[in-house]
């Protein structure tokens, strides 16, 4: 029975109406404040979470690039050490006759072809090159004076040196690694290997994410953006810039700062920057910096951050709105219900007071009759109020149940097409960046087809909610299986090798609808692959067999099997063993197959699980 608030007993309906208006104004102000604060907090959280995700991914990529750079450096570093002790090198430096030098030229030529080095050459103690691996070429280093190079003087003084510079003959940048031949007291000469990084830069360029290596002065040496070479990470002091130009280390390079600005440091090695790439506009990047071991260099890696952060903020705000708005709606409904009850009680109290005033003027008999009648009326009203409350609760519960099932079904069924659309969209963006319009158009066409497929899924879900069915028609079973595998490719990239499909003949057709049958196979393939996640011997076999009753599609895996408790109610809605599962896939699959006169059977044990789909053969 509804309890009458104390204030309602002494308030008129007009007073309650004024209070209700004030309460709704206050509710609107509070709701607006809550929504604003929720959106602001969701934006901050989404941005922070996405930056953390991008930083983790970018740090992994940067470490891989550093490891690849070290692997490229280690091989040529051993050559000068070995050649400095080679007898043929010493003979050529001491004898300096044509025969010894010719032997050394051919030896260097053979060594450079079998290594990743660009050029190998030997200079005398006076800095003149006496032999080189490119001695046959027009730009041979033989006869050139390298006394002015730091790698020559450094090797003569310290025994070894490394120096990145622009070649004065080849005009190509590279790392010069040198080693002295002989003792410091009586040096015979210097062995030099030049290492170029063209292939490494090309590999970096394929990722479409700027990366560059800078030296201790901040000059960019190796980069995936060719126009950034020999630019600086910060303005150089005039004396330092003059010293670099005098050494001719980088030729006539202007040594201007990189087009990267507005850094917002997040940690010592992570920051948010704005960069202008060649042919592009100002964009926001997450910059990660890491040292290159065994060198004084640093690698900087730029990860595009503007679009992912905006998407994460938008997604988080939509999620918060999806939670806050229903709660505010429920609060508004409870406030309205409370005010309605107060108004009803006040109206009833006013009417009762008026009735009592009139009854007092009548006889006692009529008063007793009135009391009995009033008791009956009160009982009926209480019963009616209870019935109304129960009826409203049942209607609301039914609506929420239907809404939850439809929303869960839509989320479950369009997950794979949406993931595939995302993969095709990323591919199309990559092709457009490369000016390859043909493959981009093919990807966009595939996206359009998948959006039509999502529309088909939502129409099928509407038909399912109305207890309707799509008319069965002959469907080519081979195309259904191939379509299901294609939609799984984006989500299970790298794991589809475990899926072995024995495709039927193109002439084999079954009764059904292609989109709905693909939904059934996608659910079964996905469940099997997820059950095998992390297993080295993962194996899922799909086979088709024609029987006297129709066609049987078998999906078998070698996973751990379905627990008996789950197996008993496998086709019950919302029954699932997955942490994030909805428990609707098999329910929907069973209903789809039943709509076309078929059935699904399952058997499971320690050696794996087998689902068998029985369908009718098309006439």
């Amino acid at each position: 029975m509804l309890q009458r608030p104390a204030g309602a007993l002494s308030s008129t309906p007009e007073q309650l109406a004024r209070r209700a208006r004030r309460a709704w104004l206050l509710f609107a102000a509070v709701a607006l404040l809550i929504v604003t604060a929720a959106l602001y907090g969701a934006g901050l959280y989404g941005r922070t979470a996405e930056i953390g995700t991008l930083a983790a991914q970018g740090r992994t990529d940067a470490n891989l690039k550093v490891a690849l750079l070290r692997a490229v450096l280690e091989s040529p570093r051993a050559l000068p050490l070995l050649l400095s002790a080679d007898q043929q090198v010493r003979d050529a430096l001491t004898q300096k006759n044509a025969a010894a030098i010719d032997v050394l030229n051919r030896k260097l030529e053979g060594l450079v072809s079998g290594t990743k080095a660009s050029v190998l050459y030997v200079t005398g103690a006076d800095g003149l090159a006496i032999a080189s691996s490119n001695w046959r070429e027009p730009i041979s280093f033989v006869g050139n004076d390298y006394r002015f190079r730091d790698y020559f003087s450094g090797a003569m003084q310290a025994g070894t040196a490394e120096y990145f510079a622009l070649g004065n003959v080849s005009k190509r940048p590279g790392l010069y690694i040198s080693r002295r031949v002989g003792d410091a007291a009586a040096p015979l000469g210097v062995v030099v290997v030049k290492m170029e990084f063209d292939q490494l830069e090309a590999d970096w360029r394929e990722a479409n994410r700027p990366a560059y290596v800078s030296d201790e002065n901040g000059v960019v040496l190796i980069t995936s953006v060719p126009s950034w070479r020999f630019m600086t990470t910060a303005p150089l002091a005039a004396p330092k810039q003059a010293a670099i130009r005098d050494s001719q280390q980088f030729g006539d390079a202007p040594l201007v700062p990189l087009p990267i600005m507005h850094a917002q440091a997040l940690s010592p090695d992570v920051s948010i920057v704005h960069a202008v790439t060649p042919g592009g506009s100002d964009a926001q990047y997450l910059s990660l910096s890491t040292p290159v071991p065994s060198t004084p260099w640093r690698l900087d890696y730029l990860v595009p951050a503007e679009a992912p952060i905006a998407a994460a903020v938008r997604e988080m705000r939509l999620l918060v709105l999806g939670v806050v708005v229903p709660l505010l709606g429920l609060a508004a409904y409870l406030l309205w219900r409370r005010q309605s009850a107060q108004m009803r009680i006040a109206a009833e109290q006013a009417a009762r007071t008026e009735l009592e005033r009139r009854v007092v003027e009548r006889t006692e008999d009529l008063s007793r009759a009135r009391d009995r009648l009033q008791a009956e009326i009160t009982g009926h009203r209480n019963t009616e109020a209870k019935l109304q409350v129960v009826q409203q609760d049942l209607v609301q519960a039914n609506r929420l149940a239907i809404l939850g099932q439809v929303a869960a079904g839509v989320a479950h069924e369009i997950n794979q097409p949406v993931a595939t659309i995302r993969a095709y969209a990323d591919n199309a963006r990559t092709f457009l960046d490369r000016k390859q319009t043909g493959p981009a158009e093919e990807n966009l066409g595939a996206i359009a087809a998948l959006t039509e497929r999502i529309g088909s899924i939502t129409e099928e879900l509407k038909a399912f909610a109305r207890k309707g069915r799509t008319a069965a028609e002959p469907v080519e079973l081979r195309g259904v299986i191939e379509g299901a595998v294609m939609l799984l490719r984006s989500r299970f990239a790298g794991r589809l090798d475990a899926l072995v499909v024995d495709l039927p003949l193109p002439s084999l057709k079954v009764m059904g609808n292609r989109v709905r049958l693909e939904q059934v196979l996608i659910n079964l393939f996905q469940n099997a692959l997820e059950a095998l996640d992390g297993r080295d011997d993962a194996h899922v076999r799909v086979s088709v067999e024609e029987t006297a009753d129709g066609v049987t599609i078998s999906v078998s895996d070698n996973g751990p099997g379905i627990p008996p408790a789950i197996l008993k109610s496998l086709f019950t809605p919302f029954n699932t063993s997955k942490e994030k599962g909805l428990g609707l896939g098999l329910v929907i699959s069973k209903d789809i197959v039943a709509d076309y006169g078929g059935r699904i059977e399952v058997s499971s044990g320690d050696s794996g699980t087998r689902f068998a789909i029985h369908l009718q053969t098309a006439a």
Side-chain angles (χ1 to χ4, degrees):
M1 191 172 185
L2 292 173
Q3 298 296 322
R4 299 179 179 179
L9 297 177
S10 59
S11 300
T12 64
E14 293 76 13
Q15 291 174 330
L16 290 176
R18 289 193 294 269
R19 292 178 185 174
R21 285 193 293 271
R22 291 195 295 269
W24 280 112
L25 290 174
L26 179 60
F27 178 83
V30 173
L32 179 61
L33 180 62
I34 291 174
V35 170
T36 302
L39 290 177
Y40 178 77
L44 287 179
Y45 178 81
R47 175 183 173 85
T48 303
E50 185 62 20
I51 287 176
T53 301
L54 291 175
Q57 296 173 351
R59 191 171 287 108
T60 300
D61 292 343
N63 290 337
L64 289 175
K65 291 183 184 298
V66 169
L68 181 59
L69 177 58
R70 291 191 64 191
V72 171
L73 288 173
E74 291 306 320
S75 177
R77 280 177 170 169
L79 287 175
L81 176 63
L82 296 175
L83 289 174
S84 65
D86 187 83
Q87 188 59 44
Q88 291 177 340
V89 174
R90 292 177 175 268
D91 290 346
L93 289 172
T94 54
Q95 299 173 12
K96 294 185 178 180
N97 56 53
I101 291 176
D102 183 69
V103 170
L104 182 56
N105 277 328
R106 296 178 186 277
K107 182 184 184 69
L108 297 179
E109 184 180 34
L111 284 174
V112 79
S113 63
T115 65
K116 295 181 180 180
S118 175
V119 181
L120 275 168
Y121 56 99
V122 177
T123 70
D126 55 358
L128 291 177
I130 65 168
S132 174
S133 61
N134 62 358
W135 63 283
R136 300 178 187 270
E137 300 175 8
I139 58 170
S140 171
F141 290 0
V142 176
N144 290 327
D145 187 355
Y146 293 100
R147 282 177 297 177
F148 69 97
R149 286 296 197 182
D150 286 358
Y151 61 79
F152 174 80
S153 58
M156 291 292 287
Q157 295 175 6
T160 184
E162 291 187 2
Y163 186 70
F164 194 103
L166 187 70
N168 64 321
V169 175
S170 64
K171 302 303 180 183
R172 294 176 58 83
L175 177 65
Y176 294 85
I177 305 172
S178 59
R179 186 87 181 184
R180 185 182 61 216
V181 181
D183 299 330
L188 299 178
V190 174
V191 177
V192 184
V193 59
K194 181 183 180 183
M195 182 65 193
E196 296 181 359
F197 302 90
D198 294 350
Q199 184 58 47
L200 179 68
E201 292 176 335
D203 293 340
W204 288 1
R205 208 154 28 241
E206 290 180 359
N208 288 325
R209 292 185 174 184
Y212 56 91
V213 175
S214 56
D215 63 9
E216 64 274 16
N217 295 321
V219 179
V220 175
L221 307 178
I222 308 168
T223 174
S224 63
V225 183
S227 60
W228 286 6
R229 193 187 318 280
F230 298 151
M231 300 182 78
T232 61
T233 57
L236 291 177
K240 175 61 69 176
Q241 191 175 48
I244 292 175
R245 292 192 182 282
D246 291 340
S247 68
Q248 300 182 18
Q249 182 179 3
F250 305 120
D252 298 326
L255 301 177
V256 296
L258 288 167
I260 300 175
M261 65 291 291
H262 307 306
Q264 175 189 351
L266 303 178
S267 66
D269 60 345
V270 181
S271 61
I272 296 289
V273 301
H274 289 264
V276 179
T277 56
S281 57
D282 183 8
Q284 191 179 67
Y285 291 86
L286 186 69
S287 175
L288 298 100
S289 180
T290 182
V292 180
S294 75
T295 71
W297 301 345
R298 293 192 68 84
L299 181 137
D300 289 88
Y301 183 54
L302 303 185
V303 180
E306 194 166 352
I309 290 176
V313 170
R314 182 169 58 253
E315 182 180 356
M316 187 57 61
R317 285 177 173 171
L318 289 175
L319 179 62
V320 168
L321 284 178
V323 174
V324 172
V325 171
L327 291 177
L328 291 176
L330 178 61
Y333 169 75
L334 294 177
L335 177 60
W336 170 81
R337 184 173 176 179
R338 180 175 180 275
Q339 291 177 349
S340 298
Q342 290 177 344
M343 292 290 290
R344 185 172 59 254
I345 292 173
E348 291 175 358
Q349 180 66 25
R352 189 159 40 249
T353 301
E354 179 65 17
L355 180 61
E356 290 173 354
R357 185 186 64 79
R358 292 179 181 181
V359 170
V360 169
E361 299 174 351
R362 300 181 181 275
T363 63
E364 187 175 357
D365 293 336
L366 292 177
S367 179
R368 286 194 294 268
R370 190 282 319 270
D371 291 340
R372 291 194 298 271
L373 181 60
Q374 185 65 34
E376 293 177 359
I377 292 174
T378 301
H380 285 305
R381 286 178 176 170
N382 291 338
T383 302
E384 181 182 0
K386 292 179 179 179
L387 290 175
Q388 289 179 351
V389 171
V390 172
Q391 182 180 10
Q392 291 175 356
D393 290 341
L394 289 174
V395 170
Q396 182 66 14
N398 184 53
R399 289 177 180 173
L400 291 176
I402 293 173
L403 178 60
Q405 293 179 11
V406 171
V410 170
H412 185 276
E413 291 303 319
I414 71 174
N415 180 49
Q416 291 300 334
V418 168
T420 306
I421 286 173
R422 174 61 186 270
Y424 276 127
D426 290 342
N427 291 339
R429 182 185 296 115
T430 301
F431 285 129
L432 289 175
D433 290 342
R434 297 175 180 175
K435 310 301 183 182
Q436 297 177 358
T437 58
E441 289 177 354
E442 292 178 3
N443 280 269
L444 293 176
I447 290 174
L450 288 172
T451 56
E452 292 177 359
R453 171 180 176 80
I454 292 174
S456 300
I457 290 174
T458 56
E459 289 300 323
E460 291 297 327
L461 288 174
K462 290 178 183 177
F464 178 79
R466 295 193 297 266
K467 299 299 181 183
R469 58 176 287 183
T470 303
E473 60 184 6
V475 177
E476 181 182 329
L477 185 56
R478 183 187 185 104
V480 172
I481 297 175
E482 290 175 341
V485 174
M486 184 271 291
L487 288 173
L488 286 173
R489 185 167 292 115
S490 63
R491 177 172 178 184
F492 295 95
R495 288 190 283 165
L496 283 183
D497 292 340
L499 187 64
V500 179
V501 181
D502 298 330
L503 292 174
L505 295 175
S507 59
L508 181 59
K509 296 184 178 181
V510 296
M511 296 302 296
N513 174 269
R514 172 163 181 160
V515 173
R516 300 190 77 192
L517 292 179
E518 283 183 2
Q519 291 175 229
V520 175
L521 293 182
I522 286 172
N523 283 325
L524 297 183
F525 293 172
Q526 177 176 290
N527 289 345
L529 290 171
E530 288 176 348
L532 299 175
D533 190 22
R535 293 175 68 104
D536 295 334
D537 60 340
H539 182 80
V540 179
R541 174 166 291 278
V542 181
S543 60
V544 178
E545 179 184 1
E546 293 187 68
T547 64
D549 299 330
V551 175
T552 300
I553 307 171
S554 297
V555 181
S556 305
D557 64 65
N558 61 342
I562 303 174
I566 300 295
L567 188 62
K568 290 180 181 178
S569 55
L570 191 63
F571 296 97
T572 302
F574 304 105
N575 173 50
T576 179
S577 60
K578 303 176 186 176
E579 182 179 352
K580 298 183 179 179
L582 297 175
L584 291 174
L586 292 177
V587 178
I588 295 173
S589 299
K590 181 182 179 182
D591 288 343
I592 290 173
V593 173
D595 280 347
Y596 301 123
R599 68 187 188 278
I600 297 181
E601 297 176 349
V602 59
S603 59
S604 183
D606 295 336
S607 60
T609 301
R610 176 181 179 268
F611 282 86
I613 308 169
H614 302 279
L615 297 172
Q616 295 180 359
T617 307

